Amino acid sequence: MLSVVVAPWAGEAEPVFVRAPDVLHDAASTMKVAVLAALVRSGVNLDAEVPVVNRFESVVGGEFGNDPDWDSDPLPWELLGTHVPLSLLAERMITHSSNLATNLCLARTDPRAVAEVWRSAGATRSSSPRGIEDYAARDAGVHNRVSARDLVRLLRSIGDVPELLELLERNEFRVDLAAGLPSNTRIAFKNGWFPGVRHCVGLVHPADCPPYLIAVCYTGPLANGADHTDPAARLLARISAAVWERRDAISSLTAARRPGAPSARAR
């Protein structure tokens, strides 16, 4: 299943292109954007030092831990048993997609705060009620799910916090959407992947036209789960490149939909 949403960044503009926008996919690491927003909006002291542990409370009771073999970032694992600033964990959660850092950040907020982030963003279907690798919760039917439309809404909702977008611009995994853009193009984005799933949502800043939002979610056999060489990542890159080629039409298509506006012509 492939879902795509493209929308102007300005205002509350509706998408100009959708394909299966409300189909739910496993969230993978895209839910880390909601965790980041919940952490920042909670007012917690990001400079406070917190213990780096690998035991977390499951939302269905009991405890669980992360598997280092399923994590894309070795640094938090090297810090086990120490104390580090919460800001470092928040950064690694986004820039290196650390699962361990994500659950440590989630432990400093809670699933209700994350749910409020989705609600305030206007999401209608997406939610992330459990931590990463909380398999007991998953087996009990508690799932992290996203739709492409809700991912666009989520990214738009943090536009009033520039430092969050700046952190997303430092994402180290410049594959999928970023790989479909010219190398010097600014993009604030978060991707997520594991075998069978590849997603990405981003805010693209072309130098020659207004910025735009794009979310692509793919669930299927093409996704092999590799960090950088996933064939599904190349699919997302091709979609991103195709949207880039029509970037100057995105805002004009929105203007054309307003009553009395002249029709826009896409190149």
Side-chain angles (χ1 to χ4, degrees):
M1 172 56 68
L2 179 67
S3 301
V4 183
V5 172
V6 179
W9 171 247
E12 299 296 326
E14 288 297 309
V16 298
F17 178 83
V18 297
R19 183 188 192 278
D22 300 311
V23 169
L24 285 175
H25 300 257
D26 193 298
S29 290
T30 59
M31 55 85 72
K32 294 171 182 177
V33 179
V35 176
L36 177 67
L39 192 67
V40 171
R41 289 174 179 170
S42 70
V44 66
N45 180 8
L46 292 176
D47 294 325
E49 295 209 341
V50 299
V52 181
V53 298
N54 188 29
R55 298 307 301 170
F56 307 102
E57 292 185 11
S58 170
V59 296
V60 295
E63 293 185 329
F64 72 98
N66 289 119
D67 183 343
D69 291 338
W70 283 99
D71 206 330
S72 57
D73 184 13
L75 179 62
W77 295 94
E78 297 168 3
L79 297 172
L80 276 174
T82 70
H83 287 67
V84 301
L86 185 57
S87 58
L88 177 98
L89 298 171
E91 179 179 356
R92 302 300 289 200
M93 172 175 68
I94 298 301
T95 60
H96 291 72
S97 206
S98 168
N99 292 339
L100 181 59
T102 300
N103 284 339
L104 289 165
C105 288
L106 189 55
R108 296 291 153 170
T109 174
D110 61 66
R112 290 171 297 181
V114 178
E116 175 58 23
V117 166
W118 284 112
R119 188 203 65 78
S120 63
T124 59
R125 306 207 66 199
S126 301
S127 63
S128 37
R130 64 171 175 85
I132 294 177
E133 297 177 59
D134 184 351
Y135 295 132
R138 182 197 63 184
D139 294 344
V142 181
H143 300 292
N144 295 330
R145 304 287 198 204
V146 295
S147 71
R149 192 192 303 271
D150 284 346
L151 283 175
V152 162
R153 288 167 170 160
L154 176 62
L155 204 55
R156 188 190 298 280
S157 74
I158 65 172
D160 60 342
V161 190
E163 56 266 33
L164 298 189
L165 294 177
E166 291 168 6
L167 181 55
L168 289 166
E169 287 190 33
R170 301 207 300 273
N171 185 347
E172 291 285 329
F173 292 96
R174 302 192 69 81
V175 292
D176 43 64
L177 295 186
L181 304 172
S183 60
N184 61 343
T185 305
R186 284 179 58 202
I187 176 172
F189 67 110
K190 184 69 192 80
N191 27 30
W193 63 91
F194 58 76
V197 163
R198 189 88 201 192
H199 313 322
C200 195
V201 59
L203 168 60
V204 181
H205 290 271
D208 57 355
C209 64
Y212 63 88
L213 291 156
I214 177 173
V216 183
C217 298
Y218 170 81
T219 300
L222 196 62
N224 67 12
D227 290 353
H228 294 281
T229 60
D230 187 350
R234 295 196 293 272
L235 170 64
L236 268 63
R238 292 198 298 272
I239 294 169
S240 179
V243 172
W244 173 264
E245 287 301 313
R246 297 176 62 87
R247 63 193 179 280
D248 61 345
I250 293 173
S251 294
S252 59
L253 283 171
T254 299
R257 292 179 179 178
R258 298 181 187 131
S263 61
R265 183 175 62 188
R267 66 176 184 173

